[in-house]
Amino acid sequence: MARAKGALASRTQVSAGTRRARAGCVTPRAALCSRDGLNVYAALVPRFLLPLHARLSGRTFWPEYRRSQALQWQSPATLEARSLDKVRTLVAHAMAHVPY
């Protein structure tokens, strides 16, 4: 009977990491997960910390990311016209600034 009681006790004692994994928080930042599965890291970093870092550092990753996400829904003709316009601009700049 003592053995069965010990086996039952070991089955019911679940580590905090296992509880977080069962709650849906299977990330390297599992320590930031609550018991109900809310992942604070996944909620704050892409929506708050990374845009703040980009704004403070002057980098433009997020505006470019949003623009590329919007471009995927454009028609092929619109994308081709945009690409052709960019190539024309590049060639005109090269013709004006390259001496040979």
Side-chain angles (χ1 to χ4, degrees), residues 70-94:
L71 281 174
Q72 72 178 342
W73 303 109
Q74 299 294 322
S75 69
T78 305
L79 293 175
E80 186 177 354
R82 184 176 186 271
S83 295
L84 188 58
D85 185 48
K86 286 188 171 237
V87 167
R88 282 187 182 138
T89 304
L90 177 66
V91 170
H93 177 78

Side-chain angles (χ1 to χ4, degrees), residues 10-64:
S10 66
R11 252 189 310 167
T12 57
Q13 293 176 350
V14 180
S15 71
T18 304
R19 280 194 303 270
R20 283 188 208 103
R22 287 180 184 166
C25 297
V26 186
T27 65
R29 308 279 193 244
L32 295 173
C33 294
S34 67
R35 288 184 181 171
D36 61 354
L38 175 65
N39 190 336
V40 177
Y41 179 81
L44 286 180
V45 170
R47 292 182 185 102
F48 179 72
L49 292 177
L50 290 177
L52 178 65
H53 175 265
R55 185 169 292 143
L56 293 176
S57 67
R59 298 181 188 259
T60 60
F61 171 78
W62 288 105
E64 292 296 326

